Amino acid sequence: MSKHLVIAAAGTGGHVMPGVAVAKILISRGWTVSWIGTEQGMERRIVEHQKIPFTALDFQGLRGKGLKTMLFGGFKLLKCIAQSRTILTKKHADAVFSTGGYIAVPVCLAAGLKGIPYVLMNSDADPLLSIKMVQGNAAGVMCGFDGKAAKLAGDKGVVTGNPVRKEILAIPAPEERYQGREGRLKLLIFGGSLGAQVFNQNVPSLITALSPEKRPEIIHQCGMKAVEEVKASYAALGIEAQVVPFIEDMAAAYVWADVVLARAGAISVSELTAAGVPSILVPLVTKTTSHQVGNAKYMQEAGAAIYLPQSELTTGKLTALLEGLNREELLEMAKKAKALGKPDAAATVADFIEYVSNKE
């Protein structure tokens, strides 16, 4: 009889995509897999597209929601723990794997109550609150980076890296890509699949501070809703740029680029390391989270990227950075980024899940 894995993950692609990658490997090894997510998240569409059975629970983050929500959240947590226990029993779960999102809390607590081993993945360099809440009884904490999260996990921490797409892993080495390049730098800009408003609104005007001969060639992924607006901004300023809503072939875009301007999400950073691409990272910071800052600082400390706080993006510092870069320096950054990559991440996580399921 095949073993069964229940994955608990919700929220951003940074939580969902590593789970999908590990699921594919275990399915290829004969496991069956099901998924517990939320009713509101993006995960259902992605998971069901992979033909993985999906169950939604009514549970979400409580930070910054007020006392009333916190009180009701306590009742919801107890309810979702009970529901999770029922699901784990019906699925005959041999192991649980969670990449974070608040859904990790009730599902992992339920697994602990039933004596089912659960494995966590902290994709960011800094620890995620949802992971910290349940890592005490975890069989192991897989870490995307050798950062604060790995140190906090102690003996349970395993630095596996984050799973990335196969086509990214197949990109030629930096030394091969940069050979013979000359002329203006090639700048790839993206802020995730939906684009980043701060890039869309500010980068065109910032680029005008550079003299025409020093302006980079630009591919700018801006999201579906902002295409015409961003195109018009570049055109009005007399700047040539290829503006696209979404880049289907990211591997080709990474090969083209000399340097990337991007947010510092865990999966984006993991792709940059797997591909060996230097970057200027502008982390997203909100009232409830700043974990991307840890990713950007980790990359900068390794010499693989330049950390640029969003507050400094509008001061002209970006143009000064671009003007000061050359391909020799970028190649060195690219090689350091490549050295951080973990191409076998998904298989390593799958191996650990199989190990703890057999151990039990």
Side-chain angles (χ1 to χ4, degrees), residues 211-269:
S211 58
E213 65 273 11
K214 292 186 177 181
R215 291 174 186 169
E217 296 181 46
I218 296 171
I219 295 178
H220 185 147
Q221 176 183 285
C222 63
M224 190 67 70
K225 295 180 180 179
V227 173
E228 297 308 317
E229 178 185 346
V230 177
K231 281 184 177 179
S233 295
Y234 280 114
L237 295 166
I239 301 171
E240 292 183 14
Q242 183 180 343
V243 179
V244 295
F246 182 74
I247 299 173
E248 293 288 348
D249 190 347
M250 278 302 296
Y254 286 138
V255 170
W256 173 86
D258 288 314
V259 63
V260 164
L261 173 66
R263 289 300 199 187
I267 301 308
S268 294
V269 168

Side-chain angles (χ1 to χ4, degrees), residues 267-287:
I267 301 308
S268 294
V269 168
S270 295
E271 288 189 350
L272 292 170
T273 61
V277 180
S279 56
I280 300 169
L281 298 175
V282 184
L284 174 66
V285 177
T286 68
K287 290 181 179 179

Side-chain angles (χ1 to χ4, degrees), residues 12-22 35 42 46 50 99 163 165 267:
T12 66
H15 293 313
V16 179
M17 299 314 296
V20 170
V22 172
W35 198 291
M42 62 176 285
I46 297 172
Q50 300 294 329
T99 57
R165 292 169 281 185
I267 301 308

Side-chain angles (χ1 to χ4, degrees), residues 23 40 62 73-74 84 125 168 196 221 236 250 254 260 289 306 315 350 354:
Q40 302 88 2
L62 303 175
S84 297
I168 305 296
Q221 176 183 285
M250 278 302 296
Y254 286 138
V260 164
T289 181
I306 297 168
T315 65
E354 289 199 302

Side-chain angles (χ1 to χ4, degrees), residues 151-229:
K151 291 179 176 60
L152 182 65
D155 293 342
K156 294 186 178 184
V158 182
V159 181
T160 60
N162 290 312
V164 298
R165 292 169 281 185
K166 291 181 179 179
E167 57 267 30
I168 305 296
L169 297 174
I171 289 174
E175 295 89 338
E176 181 179 345
R177 300 200 316 269
Y178 280 84
Q179 189 172 11
R181 289 193 179 186
E182 56 185 19
R184 293 186 297 154
L185 291 179
K186 297 177 179 179
L187 174 64
L188 172 63
I189 303 168
F190 63 90
S193 60
L194 300 178
Q197 189 177 38
V198 68
F199 295 161
N200 296 345
Q201 292 181 348
N202 294 306
V203 170
S205 60
L206 289 172
I207 294 295
T208 61
L210 292 168
S211 58
E213 65 273 11
K214 292 186 177 181
R215 291 174 186 169
E217 296 181 46
I218 296 171
I219 295 178
H220 185 147
Q221 176 183 285
C222 63
M224 190 67 70
K225 295 180 180 179
V227 173
E228 297 308 317
E229 178 185 346

